[in-house]
């Protein structure tokens, strides 16, 4: 049965007018016409951020550079107090570390500037909790920096938290809270500190796994404050200087070569080899001239070498001259041309056949 027969059979009798059903495309056209008008009546919606991927290596390197910067400042500050009483600065080491961390925070994060490590890696902090991204979204790196509350909490966690924990550990170790003979309160506090440290390490390890998977929030403080590291400039590449790396590789290979060869060298043979090239012979003035330069003993049958006139044992000098026709005196470095008995006649050096 075709469509016309179906329409005629389904039409009501009595001469009533039948309207055809609306087409499906009419609903789509109506939605497209009314949707812009409906959107104009609603408040402006938030712009969605473009998903970005920040290099994990850059973030980890920035943290290591900040630690190295703090260590360099600490080393320079310790040199200032090098002439004071030894050990005096050691008891104030937590205060010194907290002071240096506060200086780095004060002149970087507090004034909306990156830390030294973040600046070298082209990174800055961005507030992930911001509900609105101002300006035109082009790269996904735009966004406001940290708020005042986030900066203060960052200082409290990094500077104050680390200082208080370091002081608690040193005080508990000095008071020996962990000993079994201590009272229950002190030992309970020590056990609580150990448990808190274990929980913190477990949480840090979990955060590390999340950071390696997502590339966001390298430590617990950044995750709690929702402070994310993003690139400061989208057009700046990471600059790597290979000159220092080449020097380091050459020095490492040279050091390994020396460690391999030095045990194989005989110090006496090296000294005798370098003795002819040494021009400073004044150091031998304190050596006893009556002793044999080879065996360092009193010559039983004294012979002297010609032309330097240094005294030897007969057997020591004869053996050396027979073994090598170009034998040099160990005391002055002159070649021995002949030998004679002390106060006797000259005898020539036997030549090898």
């Amino acid at each position: 049965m075709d469509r016309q027969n179906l329409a005629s059979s389904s039409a009501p009798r009595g001469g009533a007018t039948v309207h055809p059903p609306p087409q499906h495309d009419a609903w789509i056209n109506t939605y497209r016409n009314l949707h812009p008008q409906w959107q104009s009546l609603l408040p402006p919606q938030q712009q969605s951020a473009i998903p970005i991927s920040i290099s994990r290596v850059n973030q980890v390197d920035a943290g290591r550079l900040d630690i190295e910067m703090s260590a360099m400042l600490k080393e320079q500050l310790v040199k200032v107090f090098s002439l004071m009483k030894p050990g005096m600065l050691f008891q104030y080491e937590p205060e010194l570390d907290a002071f240096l961390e506060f200086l780095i925070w004060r002149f970087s994060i507090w004034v909306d500037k990156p830390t030294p490590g973040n600046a070298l890696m082209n990174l800055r902090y961005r507030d992930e909790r911001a509900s609105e991204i101002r300006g035109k979204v082009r790269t996904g790196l735009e966004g406001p920096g940290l708020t005042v509350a986030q900066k203060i909490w960052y200082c409290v966690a990094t500077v104050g938290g680390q200082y208080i924990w370091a002081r608690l550990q040193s005080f508990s170790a000095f008071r020996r809270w962990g000993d079994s003979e201590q009272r229950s309160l002190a030992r309970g506090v020590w056990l609580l500190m150990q448990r808190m440290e274990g929980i913190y390490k477990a949480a840090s390890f979990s955060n590390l796994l999340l950071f390696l998977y997502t590339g966001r929030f390298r430590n617990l403080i950044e995750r709690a404050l929702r402070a994310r590291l993003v690139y400061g400039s989208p057009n700046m590449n990471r600059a790597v200087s290979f000159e220092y790396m080449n020097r380091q590789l050459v020095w490492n290979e040279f050091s390994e070569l020396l460690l391999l060869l030095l045990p194989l060298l005989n110090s006496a043979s090296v000294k005798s080899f370098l003795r002819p090239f040494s021009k400073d012979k004044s150091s031998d003035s304190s050596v006893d001239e009556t002793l044999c330069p080879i065996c360092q003993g009193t010559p039983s049958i004294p012979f002297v070498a010609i032309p330097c006139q240094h005294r030897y044992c007969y057997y020591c000098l004869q053996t050396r001259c027979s073994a090598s026709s170009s034998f040099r005196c160990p005391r002055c470095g002159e070649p021995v041309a002949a030998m004679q008995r002390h106060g006797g006649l000259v005898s020539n050096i036997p030549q090898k056949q």
Side-chain angles (χ1 to χ4, degrees):
M1 183 180 295
D2 54 2
R3 294 184 179 180
Q4 295 180 357
N5 296 333
L6 180 60
S8 61
S9 63
S10 60
R13 300 178 180 178
T17 304
V18 179
H19 298 281
Q23 299 180 0
H24 181 68
D25 294 341
W27 293 99
I28 299 177
N29 295 332
T30 305
Y31 172 78
R32 291 177 178 175
N33 294 331
L34 296 179
H35 182 71
Q37 301 178 9
W38 174 257
Q39 290 294 330
S40 63
L41 298 176
L42 296 176
Q45 295 183 353
Q46 302 172 0
Q47 298 179 354
S48 59
I50 298 177
I52 56 175
S53 177
I54 307 299
S55 174
R56 298 165 179 80
V57 177
N58 282 26
Q59 300 183 58
V60 176
D61 287 349
R64 295 300 306 174
L65 289 173
D66 287 335
I67 295 175
E68 294 295 333
M69 179 63 67
S70 179
M72 291 174 58
L73 294 176
K74 181 179 179 180
E75 182 181 359
Q76 297 299 324
L77 194 58
V78 168
K79 289 182 179 179
V80 177
F81 300 95
S82 60
L83 299 179
M84 301 184 68
K85 182 179 179 181
M88 186 193 72
L89 198 62
F90 177 75
Q91 57 183 345
Y92 299 107
E93 187 174 2
E95 285 79 8
L96 180 61
D97 294 338
F99 175 70
L100 295 176
E101 292 293 336
F102 176 79
L103 287 181
I104 296 176
W105 170 85
R106 171 60 181 81
F107 294 102
S108 60
I109 297 178
W110 179 250
V111 293
D112 293 326
K113 292 183 179 179
T115 60
N118 293 342
L120 291 175
M121 294 292 106
N122 186 29
L123 297 173
R124 70 175 182 90
Y125 278 115
R126 186 180 74 176
D127 184 12
E128 285 293 289
R129 301 180 306 173
S131 59
E132 180 181 0
I133 300 179
R134 302 173 182 175
K136 185 178 179 180
V137 178
R138 295 170 299 175
T139 63
L141 305 179
E142 295 85 353
L146 301 182
T147 62
V148 176
Q150 285 177 315
K151 297 175 184 177
I152 295 176
W153 280 113
Y154 186 92
C155 178
V156 171
T158 56
V159 181
Q162 293 180 5
Y163 168 71
I164 293 175
W165 184 255
R167 270 303 176 193
L168 279 176
Q169 284 186 328
S170 61
F171 186 77
S172 62
F174 179 75
R175 296 289 182 176
R176 297 181 180 180
W177 286 359
D179 295 345
S180 57
E181 59 269 12
Q182 290 289 340
R183 56 183 182 271
S184 59
L185 179 60
R187 183 166 178 80
V189 173
W190 183 80
L191 292 175
L192 179 62
M193 291 176 56
Q194 297 298 318
R195 186 169 300 177
M196 291 175 58
E197 185 176 5
I199 294 174
Y200 179 79
K201 289 182 178 179
S204 299
F205 180 72
S206 302
N207 182 80
L208 176 62
L209 296 180
L210 290 176
F211 169 73
L212 295 177
Y213 180 73
T214 61
R216 302 170 59 184
F217 310 119
R218 59 185 176 180
N219 54 48
L220 293 176
I221 298 175
E222 294 178 359
R223 185 171 296 275
L225 297 177
R226 306 294 295 173
R228 185 184 180 185
L229 284 173
V230 296
Y231 291 122
S233 174
N235 300 322
M236 181 177 179
N237 297 324
R238 182 188 181 195
V240 179
S241 177
F242 294 98
E243 183 179 358
Y244 173 77
M245 297 174 62
N246 292 335
R247 290 200 304 266
Q248 190 71 14
L249 289 174
V250 171
W251 176 248
N252 288 339
E253 294 297 331
F254 183 70
S255 301
E256 292 180 2
L257 180 64
L258 289 180
L259 291 177
L260 179 64
L261 295 180
L262 284 179
L264 304 178
L265 298 177
N266 188 356
S267 60
S269 61
V270 174
K271 188 180 298 184
S272 61
F273 175 76
L274 297 178
R275 191 182 301 272
F277 303 98
S278 176
K279 297 182 179 180
D280 186 11
K281 301 180 181 179
S282 60
S283 58
D284 295 337
S285 59
S286 60
V287 179
D288 191 356
E289 296 287 343
T290 61
L291 299 179
C292 175
I294 299 176
C295 65
Q296 298 297 323
T298 302
S300 56
I301 305 177
F303 267 68
V304 294
I306 304 299
C308 63
Q309 298 295 323
H310 285 131
R311 189 180 304 181
Y312 289 83
C313 298
Y314 169 74
Y315 296 104
C316 293
L317 183 59
Q318 182 67 26
T319 302
R320 293 296 191 278
C321 292
S322 300
S324 174
S325 58
S326 60
F327 173 70
R328 293 176 177 270
C329 177
R331 185 160 292 170
C332 63
E334 300 239 356
V336 179
M339 52 185 290
Q340 75 174 40
R341 189 181 182 93
H342 185 59
L345 297 178
V346 177
S347 60
N348 296 326
I349 302 298
Q351 300 294 330
K352 285 187 176 182
Q353 298 296 331

